[in-house]
Amino acid sequence: MNAPAKIETTLKDWETDQEVRWCPGCGDYAILKAVQRTLPQLGADPANTCFISGIGCSSRFPYYMESYGFHTIHGRAPAVATGVKLANPDLDIWLVTGDGDGLSIGGNHLMHVLRRNVNMQIMLFNNEIYGLTKGQASPTSREGTKSPSTPIGSYDHPARPAAFALGAGARFVGRGFDVSKNLPDVLKAAHAHQGAAFIEIFQNCIVYNKDVFDDFAAPKGAEDRQLWLENGEPMLFAKGTKGLTLDRDALQLKVVDVTDGDWEAAAVIRHDVTNRSVAHMLVEMPFGPFPMALGVLYDDPRPTFEAAVIEERKKASEGKTANLAKLLASGQTWTVDGTAQDPV
């Protein structure tokens, strides 16, 4: 497969003439702009790019991108995206889904596109609620969430999208949030990854779950509770005054204080994006005692699904000549004579 040629575009080249219709203040607006600003930096070609979505607020995304797009049905975007990638492996596929679309009815399809490692970027907008259908609890809603479907409070233990992705065999897992200035960097890293790149994006639902992520994603005052991971760099947060170390006896991460910037004396560990075990620890950290781990949590490529399919097709067709008539006439065939009134 040849890498698509890079071209020069601007943000305007990726904007459509469609009225963007999300609730005023919705975090989807910020994600849309982040993507539209990132694609020119990637040298992406609108004629070679396809956004595919399921059902939900996030799934309006293809209408607002000046590229090819496919607004599919609830939960089935991964299956459609897989078909599109196999039909034209050179297309740059972006899959857009939500916590309800991707982890409820679509959980099975999302699992398989990840384990197969189909080369595409998968953005899961997580607002911990069903927004389009008026605020019911979703698979990621926290215990105690009150909604039309859980009026007394949800008693379900919430799904963790990043943990789900790792468990399904994803080779790239990233995290960001809607208004973060670092979100484009996560998108770029996902695009550079060859294979299924999963990005969980925390997104504020202004109407039905307002400010649920403010404890770490508020525009001001929450920076101390964010751990932005960089490969090879120490896991520091709170302006470098705290960090994560590995408790080797308990085989788990723990927070330590860092004095005078001496993170090595505090035994703070460096981030290794290829370390799957530590990636699991990072996504399972309970927020509060620990910071929210953001950025690229895991990145360890392996051969893609479509590459294997192409190779299989190549081997199967070696030394053979395409002949549709022969194919249709092969195997068990028969000839029907007579009519319905006078059968033979």
Side-chain angles (χ1 to χ4, degrees):
M1 239 182 308
N2 295 323
K6 294 185 177 181
I7 69 168
E8 290 188 10
T9 61
T10 67
L11 181 150
K12 293 292 183 183
D13 293 317
W14 294 92
E15 293 179 334
T16 70
D17 60 358
Q18 300 295 301
E19 178 187 359
V20 182
R21 299 184 65 184
W22 287 310
C23 300
C26 175
D28 288 355
Y29 286 97
I31 301 172
L32 175 64
K33 285 302 177 187
V35 172
Q36 290 173 333
R37 289 191 179 101
T38 300
L39 289 170
Q41 298 175 37
L42 297 173
D45 183 354
N48 197 59
T49 303
C50 186
F51 283 83
I52 299 174
S53 66
I55 294 296
C57 296
S58 63
S59 293
R60 299 188 62 81
F61 213 88
Y63 295 104
Y64 310 137
M65 296 300 303
E66 189 58 51
S67 66
Y68 289 102
F70 202 149
H71 190 177
T72 71
I73 56 178
H74 206 189
R76 273 64 177 184
V80 174
T82 299
V84 173
K85 190 65 177 180
L86 291 178
N88 187 348
D90 290 330
L91 279 179
D92 188 8
I93 306 293
W94 294 76
L95 192 155
V96 185
T97 186
D99 50 300
D101 179 62
L103 293 174
S104 185
I105 191 170
N108 180 49
H109 295 283
L110 184 58
M111 175 184 73
H112 293 304
V113 77
L114 291 170
R115 73 170 180 84
R116 285 174 173 148
N117 199 37
V118 186
N119 191 15
M120 65 180 71
Q121 297 74 239
I122 302 166
M123 298 187 295
L124 185 143
F125 297 10
N126 181 13
N127 56 19
E128 297 187 1
I129 208 76
Y130 278 105
L132 187 67
T133 51
K134 306 299 182 276
Q136 300 90 337
S138 83
T140 59
S141 295
R142 304 175 194 187
E143 294 176 23
T145 297
K146 293 185 178 181
S147 76
S149 60
T150 55
I152 302 176
S154 174
Y155 47 79
D156 277 352
H157 182 66
R160 300 185 182 212
F164 171 88
L166 279 171
R171 308 296 298 190
F172 180 103
V173 176
R175 263 190 187 153
F177 59 91
D178 46 18
V179 296
S180 171
K181 63 181 181 181
N182 297 325
L183 179 57
D185 292 332
V186 183
L187 298 176
K188 291 174 190 175
H191 190 265
H193 176 89
Q194 290 297 302
F198 179 86
I199 314 110
E200 177 185 10
I201 305 175
F202 297 108
Q203 175 253 320
N204 186 30
C205 176
I206 196 73
V207 175
Y208 298 110
N209 213 13
K210 184 180 179 183
D211 301 334
V212 70
F213 303 118
D214 263 10
D215 46 6
F216 70 86
K220 294 182 180 179
E223 296 87 350
D224 289 351
R225 295 180 288 279
Q226 301 171 16
L227 169 61
W228 281 99
L229 298 161
E230 293 186 48
N231 191 37
E233 296 297 321
M235 296 186 185
L236 297 169
F237 64 101
K239 299 180 178 64
T241 62
K242 294 181 181 295
L244 295 184
T245 190
L246 180 63
D247 184 335
R248 300 183 186 279
D249 293 328
L251 286 180
Q252 63 185 21
L253 297 172
K254 70 175 183 179
V255 175
V256 292
D257 293 323
V258 177
T259 304
D260 297 329
D262 193 351
W263 58 268
E264 290 177 301
V268 173
I269 60 174
R270 293 178 184 268
H271 183 43
D272 177 1
V273 292
T274 66
N275 192 319
R276 191 176 187 86
S277 297
V278 174
H280 274 286
M281 295 181 192
L282 289 167
V283 301
E284 293 288 356
M285 290 191 309
F287 179 73
F290 289 87
M292 179 58 67
L294 301 163
V296 178
L297 284 72
Y298 182 63
D299 184 359
D300 190 15
R302 67 175 173 84
T304 64
F305 180 69
E306 69 275 9
V309 171
I310 291 169
E311 184 62 25
E312 182 184 58
R313 289 173 181 169
K314 182 180 177 181
K315 290 180 179 179
S317 62
E318 284 179 355
K320 299 178 181 178
T321 303
N323 189 324
L324 181 60
K326 183 179 179 180
L327 175 65
L328 293 175
S330 64
Q332 295 180 339
T333 62
W334 62 92
T335 301
V336 178
D337 294 322
T339 65
Q341 290 76 25
D342 184 22
V344 175

